[in-house]
């Protein structure tokens, strides 16, 4: 008799959580105790990705502690070994030589000590020169989710895969919240950076009332940590800052920088926070005043809910690391499912990682640019091309000859005039709302034009990824959408019209480029060379496997030319 009551309570709890999100009440995750230990009898291959990272089965969320060490890339991730919804969390562990083909190992961290008995939550890795890697992570010490910060080190640094990690008794926990802080919103330590004053520094996410903040700690020996007087930065009304990430970027070129590079005049810093309240992230670009232990965003970077985003879609809890082997900074994030928990239990899996992306500062220094790591190209097989294809209003042309459900496509569109651009209404501040008003089916002036991905032959289902250009008083406004509303005939799915604005100047160059990585249940798109990016999770019912099609389309009065398009069938990555 207890079961139905219990289910009702769970349903109410989940609902409360959803309703209360905006009041700043704990929204860390919905919890489904009845589902979290149901092991899948079989794993459904139907919507599984071919080349995005996901473990063989069960639930994953945040990427943790990504690093490069002795020729091997390590990816850890929040993982439920027992079921396909959140719960029973351990640090899953996979290793790779190329960031694309992975070998899954046994979990690296699992609750084993009084200080992490109720959870081994997110954290980061730091490679100490001459000493090897150290993981900093959050341990949950009680059922009230009070959190402390811990460290773990490899049991045997000579093991090339660093399979086993130990949590030394000495000094653990290394950081606990002081009495002025709320210990249940105090988590996700960053990679530490080293300064010439002889200290390591790292950040921990938190909140005071509604103010989101990144607490700063410093240490001489990596085990005794002292809290700085002030957080490195905070912002009003942003709620809990999860998974802060803080790193330098170069003002000169695409090379990444080691996290400890500071103070030079040719760098800026990036601070990214994942907002627990809204479940999306934003970042600012600014200056790190290391003598004052302060970070101040540039006045061109909005510091709040409307700020710049790495990705305007399904992309959360991201984390970057510096790859010294190729002098680049690489960014990962968790992309959750858009179907129901019951679907996930049936599938036997939930959650994928984005394709790892190289990230650098755009010229002008006002935003970041991202692009899939070059190693992904090793999966390209059959290639098809289209060039100088004109598209009139209402026209769509198929890109034939590739596996459209598992593909990589790059296209450059051009147009001869912006005269027909629709007027922009200055009240349109939210791109996603605008895309929901002006989707691909609403014909326009210049655009909508772009790709129809994961499309069924007769377009009963398709996920359009497209641009639409508006005329504002002194400039043009470019909207990029990845609209899931027509993605599936299945109704009970989350189908947002994800969108962002694209900040490029069309006066000089009447061209826009788009790249989409299509992988069964994910469409990960990069607009204008990676300046605006959107990852969508979609679950077609007709446009699956060989029945998926890819088209280019135009639904605006201005003629559009596909200057150049290349598309590739993609091989599956090795994932064990
Ligand atoms: C601390 O944070 C938790 C989780 O958001 C919240 O439920 C609790 O009310 C907070 N405590 C205080 C004293 O603000
Ligand atoms: C450490 O790993 C190396 C390489 O795998 C191995 O040769 C060595 O025996 C290991 N040491 C211990 C103490 O297990
Ligand atoms: C923004 O800061 C720059 C210098 O960093 C300054 O020249 C400019 O006037 C500022 N703009 C605004 C709107 O405050
Ligand atoms: C183009 O617009 C027409 C008219 O609204 C609509 O029927 C059609 O579905 C649109 N095409 C796409 C690809 O959305
Ligand atoms: C991913 O799933 C959708 C649909 O359930 C939610 O609306 C999002 O909030 C969720 N995203 C994250 C980061 O949890």
């Amino acid at each position: 008799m207890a079961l139905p009551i219990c289910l009702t309570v769970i349903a109410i709890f989940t609902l409360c959580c959803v309703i209360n999100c905006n009041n700043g009440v704990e929204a860390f995750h919905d919890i489904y105790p009845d589902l979290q230990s149901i092991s899948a009898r079989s794993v459904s291959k139907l919507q599984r990705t071919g080349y995005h990272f996901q473990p063989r089965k069960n639930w994953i969320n945040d990427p943790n502690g990504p690093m490069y060490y002795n020729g091997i890339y390590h990816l850890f991730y929040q993982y439920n070994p027992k079921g396909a919804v959140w719960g029973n969390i351990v640090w899953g562990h996979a290793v790779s030589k190329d960031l694309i083909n992975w070998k899954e190992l046994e979990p690296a961290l699992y609750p084993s000590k009084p200080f992490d008995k109720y959870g081994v939550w997110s954290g980061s890795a730091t490679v100490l020169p001459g000493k090897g890697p150290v993981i900093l992570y959050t341990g949950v010490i009680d059922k009230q989710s009070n959190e402390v910060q811990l460290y773990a080190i490899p049991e045997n640094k000579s093991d090339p895969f660093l399979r086993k990690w130990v949590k030394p008794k000495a000094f653990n926990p290394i950081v606990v919240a002081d009495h002025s802080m709320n210990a249940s919103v105090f988590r996700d330590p960053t990679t530490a950076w080293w300064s010439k004053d002889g200290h390591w520094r790292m950040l921990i996410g938190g909140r005071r009332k509604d103010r989101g903040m990144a607490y700063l700690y410093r240490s001489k020996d990596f085990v005794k940590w002292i809290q700085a007087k002030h957080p490195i930065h905070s912002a009003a009304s942003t709620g809990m800052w999860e998974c802060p990430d803080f790193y330098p970027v170069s003002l000169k070129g695409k090379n990444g920088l080691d996290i400890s590079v500071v103070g030079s005049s040719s760098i800026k810093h990036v601070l990214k926070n994942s907002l627990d309240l809204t479940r999306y992230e934003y970042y600012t670009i600014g200056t790190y005043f290391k003598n004052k232990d302060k970070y101040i965003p540039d006045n061109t970077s909005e510091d709040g809910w409307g700020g710049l985003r790495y990705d305007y879609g399904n992309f959360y809890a991201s984390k970057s690391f510096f790859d010294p082997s190729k002098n680049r900074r690489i960014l990962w994030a968790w992309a959750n499912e858009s179907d129901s928990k019951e679907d996930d239990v049936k599938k036997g899996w939930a959650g994928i990682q984005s394709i790892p992306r190289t990230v650098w500062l755009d010229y002008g220094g006002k935003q970041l640019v991202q692009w899939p790591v070059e190693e992904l190209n090793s999966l390209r097989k059959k290639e098809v091309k289209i060039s100088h294809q004109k598209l009139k209003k209402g026209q769509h042309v198929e890109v034939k000859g590739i596996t459209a459900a598992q593909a990589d496509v790059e296209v450059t569109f051009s147009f001869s005039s912006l005269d027909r651009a629709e007027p922009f209404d200055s009240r349109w501040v939210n791109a996603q709302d605008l895309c929901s008003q002006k989707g691909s089916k609403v014909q326009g002036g210049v655009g909508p034009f772009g790709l129809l991905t994961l499309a069924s032959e007769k377009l009963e289902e398709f996920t359009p990824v497209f641009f639409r250009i508006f005329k504002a008083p002194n400039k043009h406004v470019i909207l990029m959408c990845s609209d899931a509303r027509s993605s599936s005939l299945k109704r009970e799915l989350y189908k947002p019209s994800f969108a962002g604005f694209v900040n490029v100047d069309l006066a000089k160059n009447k061209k826009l480029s788009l790249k989409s990585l299509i992988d069964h249940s994910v469409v990960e798109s990069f607009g204008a060379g990676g300046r605006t990016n959107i990852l969508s999770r979609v679950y077609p019912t007709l446009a699956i496997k060989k029945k998926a099609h890819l088209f280019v389309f135009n639904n605006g009065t201005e003629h559009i030319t596909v200057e150049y398009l290349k598309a590739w069938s993609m091989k599956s990555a090795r994932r064990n």
Side-chain angles (χ1 to χ4, degrees):
M1 289 320 291
L3 194 60
I5 296 165
C6 177
L7 284 174
T8 315
V9 171
I10 291 156
I12 291 168
F13 176 84
T14 306
L15 193 66
C16 292
C17 182
V18 170
I19 291 167
N20 282 336
C21 282
N22 296 327
N23 301 335
V25 172
E26 174 74 316
F28 172 58
H29 34 234
D30 300 345
I31 299 171
Y32 301 83
D34 58 326
L35 299 179
Q36 71 189 17
S37 299
I38 298 180
S39 193
R41 257 169 264 129
S42 63
V43 172
S44 164
K45 293 222 171 75
L46 193 58
Q47 312 282 8
R48 264 179 87 79
T49 63
Y51 60 92
H52 282 72
F53 178 81
Q54 55 182 137
R56 263 166 301 184
K57 60 178 187 175
N58 295 330
W59 164 275
I60 59 168
N61 53 300
D62 312 4
N64 290 155
M67 68 168 166
Y68 177 83
Y69 185 66
N70 279 348
I72 305 271
Y73 294 100
H74 294 258
L75 177 67
F76 305 89
Y77 41 91
Q78 294 279 288
Y79 178 55
N80 179 355
K82 294 186 183 158
V85 303
W86 186 88
N88 312 307
I89 292 294
V90 303
W91 275 45
H93 184 193
V95 289
S96 170
K97 287 199 166 156
D98 60 6
L99 292 162
I100 300 299
N101 298 291
W102 291 89
K103 182 178 171 63
E104 216 180 303
L105 304 173
E106 58 272 41
L109 298 174
Y110 43 87
S112 65
K113 303 277 180 192
F115 46 64
D116 65 9
K117 188 170 168 195
Y118 293 89
V120 288
W121 287 3
S122 289
S124 306
T126 307
V127 178
L128 275 59
K131 291 193 179 143
V134 179
I135 284 174
L136 300 177
Y137 71 103
T138 297
V140 182
I141 56 169
D142 58 22
K143 286 190 174 151
Q144 289 70 48
S145 284
N146 284 304
E147 294 147 8
V148 297
Q149 317 310 322
L150 305 162
Y151 79 107
I153 53 175
E155 188 178 272
N156 179 359
K157 271 186 294 179
S158 313
D159 167 12
F161 292 164
L162 305 173
R163 286 169 188 265
K164 291 219 154 61
W165 290 75
V166 294
K167 307 161 185 174
K169 220 174 181 174
F171 302 105
N172 260 327
I174 49 160
V175 175
V176 297
D178 75 30
H179 38 265
S180 74
M181 291 150 67
N182 185 340
S184 67
V185 281
F186 181 59
R187 53 180 174 263
D188 308 338
T190 63
T191 298
W193 65 97
W194 191 83
S195 305
K196 286 202 184 112
D197 67 1
H199 286 90
W200 289 96
R201 284 174 171 76
M202 56 105 170
L203 306 180
I204 300 171
R207 117 171 122 67
R208 187 174 294 148
K209 299 207 172 114
D210 289 337
R211 179 172 277 275
M213 51 186 63
Y215 295 107
L216 176 66
Y217 286 79
R218 60 171 181 270
S219 172
K220 280 195 172 153
D221 55 10
F222 226 84
V223 288
K224 292 190 287 299
W225 291 85
I226 296 163
Q227 189 183 355
K229 241 185 177 160
H230 307 285
I232 196 165
H233 188 58
S234 69
S237 312
T238 49
M240 171 66 190
W241 284 5
E242 296 195 291
C243 303
D245 197 11
F246 184 62
Y247 55 87
V249 282
S250 173
L251 278 162
K252 297 177 186 154
K254 297 181 176 182
N255 276 353
L257 297 173
D258 181 275
I259 187 166
S260 295
V261 173
V262 282
S264 134
S265 59
S266 59
I267 69 166
K268 287 269 172 194
H269 268 76
V270 174
L271 176 64
K272 181 278 306 182
N273 310 299
S274 306
L275 302 180
D276 196 11
L277 282 181
T278 57
R279 307 302 282 170
Y280 63 71
E281 317 185 306
Y282 82 96
Y283 70 84
T284 53
I285 291 163
T287 305
Y288 171 35
F289 296 94
K290 77 172 173 177
N291 297 334
K292 293 186 184 145
D293 272 339
K294 272 276 164 201
Y295 165 78
I296 299 182
D298 289 351
N299 59 15
T300 45
S301 265
E302 185 177 340
D303 192 13
W305 286 18
L308 290 164
R309 292 167 59 179
Y310 285 145
D311 191 294
Y312 291 83
N314 219 319
F315 194 90
Y316 194 72
S318 67
K319 200 173 279 300
S320 73
F321 73 103
F322 176 64
D323 172 9
S325 75
K326 291 197 171 176
N327 277 316
R328 57 186 173 175
R329 180 160 290 275
I330 293 169
L331 175 69
W332 284 97
W334 163 47
N336 71 344
E337 301 299 311
S338 288
D339 59 3
S340 70
K341 299 292 153 194
E342 291 70 23
D343 284 337
D344 294 344
V345 172
K346 256 185 245 159
K347 281 170 12 214
W349 56 271
I352 63 170
Q353 301 296 342
S354 67
I355 291 296
R357 306 172 178 183
T358 308
V359 56
W360 67 94
L361 188 62
D362 199 5
Y363 62 89
K366 292 198 178 69
Q367 71 160 88
L368 298 170
V369 187
Q370 298 157 62
W371 202 248
V373 294
E374 61 187 13
E375 287 87 340
L376 184 65
N377 300 348
S378 68
L379 297 180
R380 286 174 173 171
K381 40 181 193 181
K382 188 176 177 202
E383 175 182 316
V384 298
K385 290 181 190 172
I386 294 178
S387 51
H388 309 299
Q389 168 81 51
K390 276 233 156 57
L391 294 172
K392 285 187 269 180
K393 181 178 176 181
Q395 211 182 345
H396 62 279
V397 171
E398 181 159 11
V399 180
K400 285 192 178 142
I402 53 159
T403 55
Q406 192 172 313
D408 173 1
V409 49
E410 295 183 0
V411 54
T412 300
F413 298 99
S414 70
F415 36 90
S416 49
S417 154
L418 288 163
D419 293 346
R420 293 195 168 99
E422 300 159 78
F424 186 75
D425 183 330
S426 61
R427 285 170 302 183
W428 292 338
V429 286
N430 184 304
Q432 189 168 326
D433 290 347
L434 181 53
C435 179
S436 76
Q437 278 178 51
K438 301 225 172 222
S440 67
K441 293 178 187 172
V442 179
Q443 299 191 319
V446 185
F449 61 85
L451 298 169
L452 304 178
T453 67
L454 294 173
S456 57
E457 193 176 0
K458 299 200 173 110
L459 299 187
E460 298 93 335
E461 291 180 334
F462 60 97
T463 301
V465 185
F466 62 93
F467 298 109
R468 186 169 197 128
I469 300 165
F470 298 92
K471 174 120 192 64
N474 303 312
K475 60 172 183 181
H476 287 94
V477 177
I478 307 163
L479 177 73
M480 174 175 160
C481 294
S482 176
D483 188 353
R485 286 176 299 168
S486 311
S487 60
S488 177
L489 295 177
K490 199 169 165 189
R491 271 194 234 114
E492 59 285 9
L493 296 169
Y494 173 56
K495 296 180 187 173
S497 54
F498 285 138
F501 293 109
V502 188
N503 193 1
V504 291
D505 186 1
L506 291 176
K508 290 181 210 140
N509 191 348
K510 291 188 187 54
K511 285 184 186 171
L512 275 170
S513 73
L514 179 62
K515 175 182 179 78
S516 287
L517 297 170
I518 303 160
D519 196 4
H520 304 279
S521 60
V522 53
V523 180
E524 189 172 352
S525 302
F526 301 81
R531 283 171 184 80
T532 299
N533 311 309
I534 310 177
L535 189 156
S536 293
R537 297 300 311 277
V538 295
Y539 310 86
T541 61
L542 304 171
I544 50 175
K545 304 208 167 151
K546 287 187 176 146
K547 291 193 183 126
H549 298 259
L550 174 67
F551 301 91
V552 284
F553 83 103
N554 176 25
N555 236 346
T557 9
E558 176 70 27
H559 291 188
I560 300 294
T561 303
V562 175
E563 288 270 310
Y564 207 70
L565 177 148
K566 276 187 179 186
W568 296 266
S569 294
M570 292 292 272
K571 281 186 276 191
S572 293
R574 265 179 289 116
R575 286 178 299 194
N576 242 55

mmCIF file of all heavy atoms in Angstrom, residues 343-358:
data_model
loop_
_atom_site.group_PDB
_atom_site.id
_atom_site.type_symbol
_atom_site.label_atom_id
_atom_site.label_comp_id
_atom_site.label_asym_id
_atom_site.label_seq_id
_atom_site.Cartn_x
_atom_site.Cartn_y
_atom_site.Cartn_z
ATOM 1 N N ASP A 343 10.733 7.221 -20.607
ATOM 2 C CA ASP A 343 11.424 6.875 -21.860
ATOM 3 C C ASP A 343 12.879 6.505 -21.588
ATOM 4 O O ASP A 343 13.414 5.561 -22.174
ATOM 5 C CB ASP A 343 11.420 8.066 -22.831
ATOM 6 C CG ASP A 343 10.072 8.273 -23.492
ATOM 7 O OD1 ASP A 343 9.296 7.302 -23.561
ATOM 8 O OD2 ASP A 343 9.804 9.407 -23.940
ATOM 9 N N ASP A 344 13.506 7.289 -20.703
ATOM 10 C CA ASP A 344 14.921 7.040 -20.404
ATOM 11 C C ASP A 344 15.103 5.668 -19.766
ATOM 12 O O ASP A 344 16.031 4.934 -20.104
ATOM 13 C CB ASP A 344 15.477 8.129 -19.483
ATOM 14 C CG ASP A 344 15.511 9.487 -20.175
ATOM 15 O OD1 ASP A 344 15.404 9.524 -21.416
ATOM 16 O OD2 ASP A 344 15.634 10.506 -19.472
ATOM 17 N N VAL A 345 14.201 5.327 -18.854
ATOM 18 C CA VAL A 345 14.299 4.016 -18.216
ATOM 19 C C VAL A 345 14.128 2.922 -19.274
ATOM 20 O O VAL A 345 14.865 1.940 -19.306
ATOM 21 C CB VAL A 345 13.246 3.879 -17.084
ATOM 22 C CG1 VAL A 345 13.201 2.464 -16.549
ATOM 23 C CG2 VAL A 345 13.577 4.864 -15.958
ATOM 24 N N LYS A 346 13.196 3.149 -20.201
ATOM 25 C CA LYS A 346 12.991 2.171 -21.275
ATOM 26 C C LYS A 346 14.216 2.063 -22.180
ATOM 27 O O LYS A 346 14.624 0.978 -22.565
ATOM 28 C CB LYS A 346 11.784 2.583 -22.135
ATOM 29 C CG LYS A 346 10.542 1.746 -21.847
ATOM 30 C CD LYS A 346 9.436 2.123 -22.828
ATOM 31 C CE LYS A 346 8.279 2.747 -22.065
ATOM 32 N NZ LYS A 346 7.394 3.563 -22.879
ATOM 33 N N LYS A 347 14.785 3.223 -22.531
ATOM 34 C CA LYS A 347 15.983 3.238 -23.385
ATOM 35 C C LYS A 347 17.176 2.603 -22.698
ATOM 36 O O LYS A 347 18.073 2.060 -23.326
ATOM 37 C CB LYS A 347 16.383 4.683 -23.719
ATOM 38 C CG LYS A 347 15.553 5.300 -24.817
ATOM 39 C CD LYS A 347 15.746 6.799 -25.037
ATOM 40 C CE LYS A 347 16.851 7.549 -24.431
ATOM 41 N NZ LYS A 347 16.519 8.939 -24.069
ATOM 42 N N GLY A 348 17.221 2.770 -21.359
ATOM 43 C CA GLY A 348 18.364 2.248 -20.609
ATOM 44 C C GLY A 348 19.527 3.221 -20.554
ATOM 45 O O GLY A 348 20.614 2.862 -20.091
ATOM 46 N N TRP A 349 19.309 4.429 -21.006
ATOM 47 C CA TRP A 349 20.392 5.426 -20.953
ATOM 48 C C TRP A 349 19.807 6.830 -21.030
ATOM 49 O O TRP A 349 18.697 7.013 -21.529
ATOM 50 C CB TRP A 349 21.397 5.217 -22.095
ATOM 51 C CG TRP A 349 20.796 5.235 -23.482
ATOM 52 C CD1 TRP A 349 20.292 4.154 -24.157
ATOM 53 C CD2 TRP A 349 20.608 6.366 -24.342
ATOM 54 N NE1 TRP A 349 19.807 4.544 -25.381
ATOM 55 C CE2 TRP A 349 20.003 5.896 -25.527
ATOM 56 C CE3 TRP A 349 20.924 7.723 -24.241
ATOM 57 C CZ2 TRP A 349 19.681 6.731 -26.598
ATOM 58 C CZ3 TRP A 349 20.598 8.562 -25.315
ATOM 59 C CH2 TRP A 349 19.992 8.053 -26.478
ATOM 60 N N ALA A 350 20.587 7.798 -20.519
ATOM 61 C CA ALA A 350 20.174 9.198 -20.587
ATOM 62 C C ALA A 350 21.385 10.099 -20.431
ATOM 63 O O ALA A 350 22.217 9.885 -19.551
ATOM 64 C CB ALA A 350 19.167 9.514 -19.484
ATOM 65 N N GLY A 351 21.469 11.110 -21.300
ATOM 66 C CA GLY A 351 22.552 12.093 -21.229
ATOM 67 C C GLY A 351 23.687 11.738 -22.161
ATOM 68 O O GLY A 351 24.040 10.558 -22.324
ATOM 69 N N ILE A 352 24.226 12.753 -22.811
ATOM 70 C CA ILE A 352 25.417 12.585 -23.660
ATOM 71 C C ILE A 352 26.355 13.751 -23.358
ATOM 72 O O ILE A 352 25.942 14.736 -22.729
ATOM 73 C CB ILE A 352 25.062 12.591 -25.178
ATOM 74 C CG1 ILE A 352 24.471 13.952 -25.592
ATOM 75 C CG2 ILE A 352 24.102 11.461 -25.510
ATOM 76 C CD1 ILE A 352 24.322 14.131 -27.103
ATOM 77 N N GLN A 353 27.589 13.648 -23.789
ATOM 78 C CA GLN A 353 28.470 14.816 -23.738
ATOM 79 C C GLN A 353 28.488 15.451 -25.124
ATOM 80 O O GLN A 353 28.374 14.760 -26.142
ATOM 81 C CB GLN A 353 29.898 14.427 -23.321
ATOM 82 C CG GLN A 353 29.995 13.742 -21.952
ATOM 83 C CD GLN A 353 29.584 14.627 -20.787
ATOM 84 O OE1 GLN A 353 29.517 15.847 -20.886
ATOM 85 N NE2 GLN A 353 29.275 14.000 -19.649
ATOM 86 N N SER A 354 28.612 16.771 -25.141
ATOM 87 C CA SER A 354 28.756 17.471 -26.420
ATOM 88 C C SER A 354 30.037 16.982 -27.093
ATOM 89 O O SER A 354 30.884 16.366 -26.449
ATOM 90 C CB SER A 354 28.880 18.976 -26.165
ATOM 91 O OG SER A 354 30.111 19.249 -25.501
ATOM 92 N N ILE A 355 30.171 17.285 -28.378
ATOM 93 C CA ILE A 355 31.467 17.071 -29.027
ATOM 94 C C ILE A 355 32.452 18.046 -28.379
ATOM 95 O O ILE A 355 32.110 19.213 -28.158
ATOM 96 C CB ILE A 355 31.347 17.368 -30.547
ATOM 97 C CG1 ILE A 355 30.490 16.294 -31.238
ATOM 98 C CG2 ILE A 355 32.719 17.473 -31.214
ATOM 99 C CD1 ILE A 355 31.066 14.886 -31.217
ATOM 100 N N PRO A 356 33.651 17.577 -27.985
ATOM 101 C CA PRO A 356 34.613 18.519 -27.409
ATOM 102 C C PRO A 356 34.911 19.640 -28.413
ATOM 103 O O PRO A 356 35.064 19.383 -29.610
ATOM 104 C CB PRO A 356 35.847 17.665 -27.137
ATOM 105 C CG PRO A 356 35.642 16.381 -27.874
ATOM 106 C CD PRO A 356 34.181 16.212 -28.068
ATOM 107 N N ARG A 357 34.929 20.872 -27.918
ATOM 108 C CA ARG A 357 35.093 22.030 -28.791
ATOM 109 C C ARG A 357 36.337 22.817 -28.411
ATOM 110 O O ARG A 357 36.567 23.045 -27.220
ATOM 111 C CB ARG A 357 33.887 22.967 -28.640
ATOM 112 C CG ARG A 357 32.547 22.302 -28.865
ATOM 113 C CD ARG A 357 31.408 23.250 -28.505
ATOM 114 N NE ARG A 357 30.106 22.644 -28.765
ATOM 115 C CZ ARG A 357 28.942 23.278 -28.600
ATOM 116 N NH1 ARG A 357 28.931 24.537 -28.172
ATOM 117 N NH2 ARG A 357 27.803 22.675 -28.859
ATOM 118 N N THR A 358 37.083 23.240 -29.394
ATOM 119 C CA THR A 358 38.163 24.186 -29.139
ATOM 120 C C THR A 358 37.525 25.550 -28.944
ATOM 121 O O THR A 358 36.578 25.900 -29.650
ATOM 122 C CB THR A 358 39.120 24.230 -30.344
ATOM 123 O OG1 THR A 358 39.496 22.906 -30.646
ATOM 124 C CG2 THR A 358 40.360 25.032 -30.038
#
